């Protein structure tokens, strides 16, 4: 264990702060290549942009005076002038870290999605045309991670807290990771739709009209600009796969980061195995599939973090999973991996996730230690992309999934403009059908069966969901066909507004929420963990704001038993007792966490994903016989106890002379406490209290207010909302030299005990 930590400390000096996983990057470029298969001539450029601005004010900004006429160069200059200021008299940045005043590089290639790319600027409503627009931009962004993408929404007269909430919902639904600039300045030539501004170093820009744009044309223009930039760059061509590239690929919507601490984050789709009493929920923006029974007990979880990787359920990676279909004969679950443009298959018996489509080897893993290190350092070779060719039938942001009578998988995108027919046995796409009417000709019967199921739900439920889904005028409920399922005597519906699963009893007509339990199966959430990629090579080892409690001790070397007492907020209660699967421990420096062999072998509970990640690294790094002989047998005491307001975590470490640090992280599943004489009219107070417990005030006032409005819009008793409170404790040791024995030859190991008291009351 000590050897492992020593190796990790040396490696961590070279690693910046990013999420793990980069396998799906190769498929991004392949998808874009398929989009560029048929090019059309360059569309006409937009006319000269000029018009006086309009009076405009944000909710926190004084009203601005009329602006002067703006030419196209003035537009780019205005965007560039806002780079070092989060908020100004004419602008407001959204979906970006507020306290980071240098959130853009001045140089490089920029793609600006400008104009009215939502149906209504003031109400920020996104329709199906907007979905198509965003898919184009995301395809380019995924294929060229070094390209800096910006959304520029002009002509917004006001931006209130309600508008911010609508914008958060749009970013969450469309999974938009690039920042959006809101401005009061008006550009009349872009009022009828969106256009794209492609520029290098914000010089002369090429402007493309969205209405007549083919994605292949834009792809070619971006590729030429990137190649030109690389030719002019002095950096070696062999270092194209950089950390900035990987970080861009795995970026997540910042404006929605507060919502991810809820139990579910955009529960988009659901399917069922009725004979096995299992339901499969796509917790889309948590990048996982939750398997649970009819009573809400969580049975399993597929996916560990965002990425594209096959393997065991605990280590496999998905990127925004959508619809799924359970195949009873094979005991397999077919999953639409939306952002990876893939179809995955989960073998429920072997607990293995594999890729059905695309059929290339992009997700195959090299399990050698050196390959693992090279991947983490960003130097993994893209051998598959050079020879791989995708045709025009390739999947592009699929979402819905159904099975036809002739054993074909019917895959549909969210706008219902494209249908892919896939052979279930071979995983090959047999045909791609374009156009809404043609799609309905093939799968209209299956769609109408789903729609008839939805019509049995209460009307207020459906209206609440339709407003937040991709609604079709021809078929309003079509966007929800993968969000509902008939199971036993109930109909279940994914509530993407309230982040919950609603259940309707067909006989009694009683409506209720699914009450989940057994959260240890979910492990420690990936954004809580402190994995190798998040180690900072700076004094202190990590950001101070990351920890809830720091304690320093000076002790003699030997075994140290640690008891952590955690007082949860007094107005909350644990949904269930803290279990081992929700805890992760790490020791750095001269300390090593001690594991008891009999506990590991005899435990039936799943170990947290982060802890398993390090245990698997042990198998790789410590497999040499010479190294194994130097590792002494060690024991530990690991015990968990919960009282009404206090959680106890016990563990042990072995220390040697020098400095070390022990980090204990845990996921506490909480909800607000109910009091007998409590009034039921304090919904805004409850929402603000949840925000304060999650410490969203440190994320900026705008994000906190948006989160509160988001909770209030969920139309539910907020005392029933389950949220995940992160716990991070850092214990730093300054271990003295070994005491000498009387014969001056032997060393003495000392057993010590420390108690750490942590209060989460705010």
């Amino acid at each position: 264990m000590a050897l492992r930590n020593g190796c990790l400390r040396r490696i961590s000096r070279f690693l910046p702060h990013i999420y793990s996983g980069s396998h799906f990057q190769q498929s991004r470029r392949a998808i874009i290549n398929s989009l560029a298969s048929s090019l059309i001539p360059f569309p006409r450029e937009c006319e000269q942009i000029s018009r006086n601005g309009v009076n405009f004010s944000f909710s926190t900004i004084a009203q601005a005076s009329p602006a002067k006429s703006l030419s196209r160069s003035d537009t780019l200059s205005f965007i560039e002038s806002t780079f070092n200021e989060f908020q100004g008299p004419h602008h407001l940045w959204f979906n970006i870290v507020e306290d980071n005043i240098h959130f853009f590089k001045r140089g490089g290639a920029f793609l600006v999605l400008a104009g009215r790319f939502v149906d209504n600027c003031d109400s920020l409503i996104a329709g199906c045309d907007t979905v198509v627009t965003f898919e184009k931009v995301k395809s380019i962004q995924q294929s060229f991670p070094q390209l800096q993408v910006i959304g520029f929404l002009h002509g917004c007269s006001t931006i209130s807290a309600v508008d911010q909430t609508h914008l958060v919902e749009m970013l969450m639904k469309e999974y938009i990771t690039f920042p959006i600039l809101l401005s009061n300045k008006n550009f009349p030539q872009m009022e009828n739709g969106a256009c794209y501004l492609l520029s290098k170093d914000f010089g002369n820009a090429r402007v493309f009209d969205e209405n007549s744009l083919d994605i292949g044309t834009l792809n070619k223009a971006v590729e030429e600009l990137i190649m030109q930039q690389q030719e002019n760059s002095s950096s070696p061509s062999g270092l194209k796969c950089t950390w900035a590239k990987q970080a861009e690929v795995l970026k997540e919507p910042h404006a929605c980061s507060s919502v991810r601490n809820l139990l579910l984050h955009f529960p988009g789709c659901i399917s069922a195995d009725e004979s096995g009493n299992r339901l499969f929920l796509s917790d889309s923006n948590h990048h996982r599939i939750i398997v649970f029974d009819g009573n809400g007990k969580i049975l399993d979880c597929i996916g560990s973090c965002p990425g594209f990787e096959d393997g065991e359920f605990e280590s496999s990676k998905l990127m925004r999973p959508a619809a799924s279909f359970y195949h009873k004969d094979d005991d397999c679950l077919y999953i639409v991996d939306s952002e990876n443009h893939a179809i995955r298959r989960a073998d429920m018996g072997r607990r293995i996730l594999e890729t059905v489509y695309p059929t290339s080897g992009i997700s195959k893993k090299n399990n050698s230690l050196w390959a693992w290190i090279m991947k983490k350092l960003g130097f993994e070779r893209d051998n598959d992309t050079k020879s791989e060719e995708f045709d025009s039938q390739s999947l592009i942001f699929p979402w819905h999934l159904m099975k036809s009578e002739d054993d074909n998988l019917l895959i549909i995108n969210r706008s219902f403009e494209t249908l892919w027919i896939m052979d279930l046995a071979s995983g090959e796409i047999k045909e791609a059908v374009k156009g809404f009417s043609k799609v309905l000709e093939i799968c209209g019967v299956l769609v109408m069966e789903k729609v008839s199921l939805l019509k049995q739900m209460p009307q207020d439920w459906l209206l609440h969901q339709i407003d937040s889904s991709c609604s079709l005028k021809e078929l309003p409920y079509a966007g929800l066909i993968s969000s509902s399922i008939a199971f036993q005597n109930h109909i279940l519906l994914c509530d993407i507004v309230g982040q919950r699963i609603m259940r309707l009893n067909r006989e009694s007509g009683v409506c209720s929420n699914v009450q989940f339990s057994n959260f240890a199966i979910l492990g420690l959430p990936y954004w809580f963990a402190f994995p190798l990629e998040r180690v900072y090579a700076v004094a202190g080892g990590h950001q101070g704001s990351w920890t809830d409690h720091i304690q320093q001790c000076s002790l003699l070397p030997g075994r140290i038993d640690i008891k952590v007492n955690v007082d949860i907020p007094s107005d909350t209660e644990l949904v269930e007792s803290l279990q081992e699967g929700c805890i992760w421990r790490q020791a750095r420096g001269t300390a090593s966490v001690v594991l008891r062999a009999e506990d590991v072998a005899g435990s039936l509970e799943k170990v947290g994903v982060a802890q398993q990640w390090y245990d698997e690294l042990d198998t790789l790094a410590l497999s040499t016989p010479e190294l194994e002989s130097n590792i002494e047998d060690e024991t530990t005491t690991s015990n968990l106890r919960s009282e009404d307001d206090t959680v106890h975590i016990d563990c042990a470490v072995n220390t040697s002379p020098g400095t070390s640090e022990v980090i204990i992280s845990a996921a506490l599943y909480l909800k607000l406490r109910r009091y007998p004489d409590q009034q039921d009219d304090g919904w805004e107070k409850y929402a603000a209290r949840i925000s304060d417990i999650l410490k969203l005030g440190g994320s900026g006032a705008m994000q906190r207010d948006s989160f509160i409005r988001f909770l209030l819009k969920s139309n539910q008793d907020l005392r029933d909302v389950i949220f995940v409170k992160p716990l991070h404790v850092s214990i730093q040791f300054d271990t003295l030299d070994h005491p000498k024995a009387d014969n001056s030859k032997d060393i003495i190991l000392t057993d010590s005990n420390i108690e750490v008291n942590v209060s989460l009351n705010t």
Side-chain angles (χ1 to χ4, degrees), residues 148-394:
Q148 300 187 70
V149 180
I150 302 171
F152 180 36
L153 189 59
H154 70 93
C156 295
S157 57
T158 60
I159 180 69
S160 64
V162 175
D163 295 327
Q164 294 170 17
T165 303
H166 288 317
L167 188 54
V168 168
E169 292 175 349
M170 184 185 72
L171 297 176
M172 179 176 64
K173 180 182 65 176
E174 306 301 335
Y175 204 75
I176 303 301
T177 62
F178 52 83
I180 295 179
L181 176 62
L182 306 175
S183 174
N184 65 329
K185 295 183 180 296
N186 202 18
F187 304 95
Q189 300 301 328
M190 295 185 289
E191 287 186 353
N192 295 327
C195 67
Y196 303 90
L197 284 72
L198 182 62
S199 170
K200 179 179 179 296
D201 301 331
F202 271 89
N204 294 329
R206 300 177 68 178
V207 185
F208 306 99
D209 185 8
E210 161 64 22
N211 295 329
S212 58
L213 176 68
D214 176 79
I215 185 63
T217 302
L218 183 59
N219 172 74
K220 183 177 180 180
V222 173
E223 186 175 7
E224 292 175 352
L225 185 63
I226 295 296
M227 290 180 61
Q228 179 184 0
Q229 181 182 359
Q230 291 178 348
E231 291 175 358
N232 298 334
S233 174
S234 59
S235 61
S237 59
L239 297 179
K240 292 180 182 178
C241 186
T242 64
W243 279 109
K245 176 180 177 180
Q246 291 195 20
E248 182 72 21
V249 170
L250 293 169
K251 186 185 296 182
E252 297 188 82
H254 174 74
C256 307
S257 58
S258 57
V259 183
R260 68 182 181 184
N261 282 326
L262 301 179
L263 175 60
L264 303 176
H265 187 192
F266 200 84
C269 305
I270 192 169
S271 62
D273 167 25
E274 191 159 0
S275 61
N277 191 27
R278 293 183 297 186
L279 290 135
F280 308 98
L281 172 64
S282 294
D283 191 6
S284 299
N285 288 4
H286 279 155
H287 314 286
R288 63 190 179 187
I289 303 290
I290 298 176
V291 185
F292 63 100
D293 64 14
N295 296 322
K297 181 180 180 181
I298 299 175
L299 306 174
D300 212 336
C301 183
I302 307 172
S304 59
C305 62
F308 190 1
E309 189 168 320
D310 292 341
E312 297 180 352
F313 287 177
E314 293 85 359
S315 59
S316 60
K317 298 173 184 176
L318 298 161
M319 194 71 176
R320 209 172 188 234
S324 60
F325 165 76
Y326 177 73
H327 195 278
K328 182 179 179 180
D329 295 339
D330 299 335
D331 191 24
C332 289
L333 182 71
Y334 289 84
I335 305 167
V336 174
D337 197 353
S338 178
E339 294 289 315
N340 283 327
H341 318 285
I343 301 297
R344 317 289 291 277
R345 178 173 55 215
D347 190 316
M348 303 305 298
R350 299 184 312 157
R351 301 187 69 256
I352 296 294
L353 181 68
E354 54 191 359
T355 300
V356 176
Y357 179 92
T359 56
S360 68
I362 56 176
S363 62
K364 296 179 180 178
K365 298 191 295 184
N366 184 343
N367 289 320
S368 67
L369 178 60
W370 180 248
W372 178 85
I373 294 174
M374 292 298 289
K375 182 189 74 173
K376 297 301 179 184
L377 291 174
F379 298 112
E380 186 179 32
R381 295 183 178 181
D382 298 337
N383 295 325
D384 297 306
T385 58
K386 296 180 180 179
S387 60
E388 185 176 16
E389 293 292 339
F390 278 65
D391 56 31
S392 59
Q393 295 182 344
S394 298

Side-chain angles (χ1 to χ4, degrees), residues 559 561 593-598 633-637 652-654:
R559 177 189 174 98
D561 291 310
V593 175
V594 196
L595 296 177
R596 185 167 62 189
E598 58 267 31
D633 293 334
E634 299 168 328
T635 61
T636 190
T637 300
V653 295
N654 285 341

Side-chain angles (χ1 to χ4, degrees), residues 79 83 93-96 103-105 107-114 117 133-134 136-152 176-181 195-199 202 218 222 226 248 251:
I79 296 176
F83 277 8
W93 281 102
F94 209 82
N95 204 28
I96 206 164
F103 38 77
F104 283 115
K105 300 176 183 177
F110 287 85
L111 177 66
V112 180
L113 171 61
F117 52 81
T133 300
F134 282 142
K136 290 180 182 179
V137 178
K138 288 164 63 177
S139 297
I140 296 293
Q141 183 186 24
Q142 292 168 356
S143 183
F144 302 98
Q146 61 271 55
L147 180 70
Q148 300 187 70
V149 180
I150 302 171
F152 180 36
I176 303 301
T177 62
F178 52 83
I180 295 179
L181 176 62
C195 67
Y196 303 90
L197 284 72
L198 182 62
S199 170
F202 271 89
L218 183 59
V222 173
I226 295 296
E248 182 72 21
K251 186 185 296 182

